[in-house]
């Protein structure tokens, strides 16, 4: 129990005692000291405290082989604990020892041994095996409570699983098990609640975070104990929310859109903890204002920091300027005398202050990127390029985010010339455009009504082995369909074929919006058979078509003087559970079609040559687009 553990001395004592000889003692009373299971238990505990996993396993094997002593559950627990404390941790060895003790030796391991194995997994970020052990314990408690080999999980079990899930980024799982604990009547301790708060912050669950913060206020701390004595050196339990808990809760409010609650927690932090909020807490609260576009409130918090003597950092300033950018994106209509949005004006003024007095905060690339974004959202392309020149003058290295924000400025106004300039500048800086930059450039082409250029950019993306997602590909489709020209049909189909090809990853496959675009286009260009073919394809992919798609296709059949096909499609609508009588356009089309059929004495049935004209081969996947091999 010495700190640090004197492991070598412990083993020296053991060796000396075990090999004592009669020559070293009075012959009349000489005995050879034999170790027992308690001896090995003490040695194994020393290995555990020292984190010596290999020495622990070697000792475990020598017990029976060299001394004829079978290890008990306590010895195994200590050996498993050594694996958890090892650097690096040894979760595989810990799991093997647990299996050996429970399944092979049928030892009644208490919860401490299981918790040690989970801890080994947690230290190694092996959340899958940590959950597997917990699930086994829960199942035994639920289905076979008399099973003495597998104990019921306790608060420490769940807390250790939380730690494993935190390390593995399994935030939803943390909250799932927290709910499970509460359903079982197990109290959440301070550290477990901290895990829940981190999960809420990562997932943006503001109101969940507030609930857990309130729960933490009623936590009754219990000091870690060993043999009913307070354990020396143990981490002090949380007796209520500390400053860190408030910082995390404020972050959760920021990401969850509850910026007002985040600001309220700044004041509550001082009242509850006796410690004023620091720069981390203020930055989190300002970030909440950034997400909400509350630029005035962000500046008020910045002023409040100054009055309280709290020095802002680069992240703080970036968030304040970012709040101005969000406000511009939300089309905040407040402008100055020149017509410039006030949010943009304040952001650029703050940037100028920082440039003139870098002792406040020396503007870094993150701050400059935020300033470019402000100009982009204000649709001020020249202003965005001016900020870029300031970055170059300051000798600061540009990043993908810099040019991504600059391309966004071009996209907002549909300026192809400026977008081309961004690509040239990136080449000069040796920065390769990523999917986000290409996506913004393609959207720029759509706004500029340059569909062919959008296709060329898409081809370039694929050739550079980038992965356009469905949103990017749908933008290309929209660019081709905006003009509603029948002559664009081939290019539209080629883009769809590309989405179905092996060149596109799963995140770029056709989605509901894809089929909406296609069906509306072919209906608008009086190609109802093609529109209906895509209705079928949409169903095959598991998407139920909206009534508007049926309406557009039926209307196209009506305008092409094909009432029988319109009737047949309306009958299929009924099979999908739609009542076309309730849709005025469809009801009128139905009446006209019936009137025409009665006039010529035809039935609702259609002949073979009246089936859909589109060849489904057009929709087979291909590895080309626009006739150009990729």
């Amino acid at each position: 129990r010495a700190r640090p553990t004197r492991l070598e001395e412990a083993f020296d004592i053991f060796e000396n005692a075990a090999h004592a000889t009669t020559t070293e003692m009075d012959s009349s009373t000489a005995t050879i000291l034999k170790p027992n299971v308690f001896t090995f238990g003490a040695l194994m505990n020393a290995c555990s405290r020292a984190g010596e996993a290999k020495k622990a396993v070697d000792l475990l094997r020598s017990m029976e082989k060299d001394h004829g002593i079978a290890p008990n559950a306590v010895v195994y627990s200590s050996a498993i604990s050594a694996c958890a404390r090892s650097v690096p941790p040894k979760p595989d060895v810990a799991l093997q020892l647990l299996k050996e003790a429970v399944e092979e030796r049928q030892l009644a391991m208490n919860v401490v041994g299981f918790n040690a194995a989970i801890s080994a997994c947690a230290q190694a970020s092996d959340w899958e095996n940590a959950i597997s052990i917990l699930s086994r314990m829960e199942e035994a408690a639920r289905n076979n409570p008399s099973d003495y080999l597998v104990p019921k999980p306790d608060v420490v079990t769940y807390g250790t699983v939380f730690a494993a899930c935190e390390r593995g980024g399994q935030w939803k799982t943390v909250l799932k098990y927290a709910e499970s604990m509460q359903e079982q009547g197990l109290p959440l301790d301070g550290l477990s609640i901290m895990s829940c708060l981190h999960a809420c912050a990562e997932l943006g669950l503001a109101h969940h975070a507030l609930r857990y913060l309130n729960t933490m206020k009623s936590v009754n701390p219990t000091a870690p104990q060993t043999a009913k004595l307070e354990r020396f050196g143990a981490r002090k339990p949380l007796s209520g929310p500390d400053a860190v808990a408030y910082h995390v809760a404020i972050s959760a409010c920021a990401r969850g859109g509850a910026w007002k609650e985040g600001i309220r927690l700044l004041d509550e932090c001082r009242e509850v903890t006796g410690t004023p909020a620091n720069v981390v807490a203020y930055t989190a609260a300002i970030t909440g204002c950034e997400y909400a576009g509350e630029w005035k409130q962000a500046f008020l918090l910045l002023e409040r920091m100054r009055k309280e003597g709290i020095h802002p950092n680069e992240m703080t300033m970036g968030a304040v300027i970012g709040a101005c950018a969000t406000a511009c994106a939300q089309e905040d209509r407040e402008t100055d005398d020149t017509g410039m949005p006030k949010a943009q004006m304040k952001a650029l003024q703050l940037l100028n202050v920082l440039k003139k007095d870098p002792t406040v905060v020396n503007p870094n690339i993150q701050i400059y990127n935020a300033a470019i974004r402000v100009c982009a959202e204000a649709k001020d392309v020249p202003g965005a390029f001016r900020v870029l020149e300031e970055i170059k003058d300051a000798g600061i290295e540009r990043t993908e985010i810099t040019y991504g924000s600059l391309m966004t400025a071009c996209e907002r106004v549909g300026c192809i010339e400026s977008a081309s300039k961004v690509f040239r500048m990136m080449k000069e800086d040796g920065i390769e455009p990523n999917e986000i930059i290409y996506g913004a450039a393609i959207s720029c082409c759509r706004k500029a009504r340059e569909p062919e250029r959008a296709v060329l950019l898409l081809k370039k993306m694929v050739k550079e082995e980038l992965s356009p997602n469905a949103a990017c590909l749908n933008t290309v489709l929209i660019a081709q369909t905006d003009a509603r020209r029948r002559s664009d049909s081939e290019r539209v189909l080629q883009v769809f074929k590309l989405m179905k090809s092996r060149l596109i990853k799963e995140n770029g496959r056709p989605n509901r919006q894809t089929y909406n675009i296609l069906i509306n286009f072919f209906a608008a260009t009086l190609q109802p058979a093609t529109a209906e073919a895509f209705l079928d394809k949409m169903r095959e992919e598991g998407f139920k078509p909206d009534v508007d798609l049926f309406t557009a296709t039926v209307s196209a059949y009506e305008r092409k003087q094909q009432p029988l096909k319109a009737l047949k499609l309306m009958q299929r609508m009924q099979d999908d559970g739609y009542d076309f009588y309730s849709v005025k356009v469809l009801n009128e089309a139905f009446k006209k079609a019936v009137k025409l059929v009665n006039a010529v004495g035809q039935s609702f049935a259609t002949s073979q040559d009246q089936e859909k004209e589109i060849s489904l081969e057009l929709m087979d996947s291909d590895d080309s687009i626009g006739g150009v091999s990729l």
Side-chain angles (χ1 to χ4, degrees), residues 427-439:
K427 189 173 183 180
E428 292 171 2
D429 274 350
I431 297 175
E432 294 294 329
N434 58 19
E435 289 90 344
I436 295 173
I437 293 172
Y438 269 116

Side-chain angles (χ1 to χ4, degrees), residues 326-360:
T326 307
C328 291
Q330 295 171 348
E331 298 185 353
D332 188 317
R333 300 186 182 280
E334 197 173 352
T335 60
D336 64 7
D337 295 338
T338 66
M340 176 184 287
K342 281 194 175 181
Q344 181 189 9
M345 180 193 69
K346 291 289 290 184
L348 295 180
Q349 285 177 349
L350 177 58
L351 178 62
N352 286 331
V353 168
L354 300 181
K355 286 163 55 183
K356 290 178 182 177
D357 186 5
T359 59
V360 178

Side-chain angles (χ1 to χ4, degrees), residues 40 68 95 156 198 234 302 369 606:
F40 286 101
L95 293 172
V156 175
H198 280 295
L302 189 62
N369 287 347
T606 59

Side-chain angles (χ1 to χ4, degrees), residues 137-152:
M137 296 170 76
E138 287 182 326
E139 184 180 0
R142 184 169 53 250
N143 300 328
N144 192 10
S146 61
D147 185 355
Y148 66 94
L149 295 177
V150 181
K152 182 180 179 180

Side-chain angles (χ1 to χ4, degrees), residues 385-441:
F385 277 96
R386 282 195 296 272
V387 175
L388 181 69
E389 290 304 316
E390 292 176 11
I391 297 173
K392 290 182 178 180
D393 293 342
I396 298 174
E397 187 175 347
R398 280 73 65 196
T399 66
E400 285 182 342
I401 296 174
T402 309
Y403 285 107
S405 299
L406 198 59
M407 187 64 80
T408 298
C410 306
E411 185 274 339
R412 292 292 187 263
V413 298
C415 184
I416 293 292
E417 183 181 346
S418 297
S420 299
K421 183 179 178 181
V422 173
F423 279 123
R424 290 195 299 271
M425 297 174 84
M426 290 186 71
K427 189 173 183 180
E428 292 171 2
D429 274 350
I431 297 175
E432 294 294 329
N434 58 19
E435 289 90 344
I436 295 173
I437 293 172
Y438 269 116

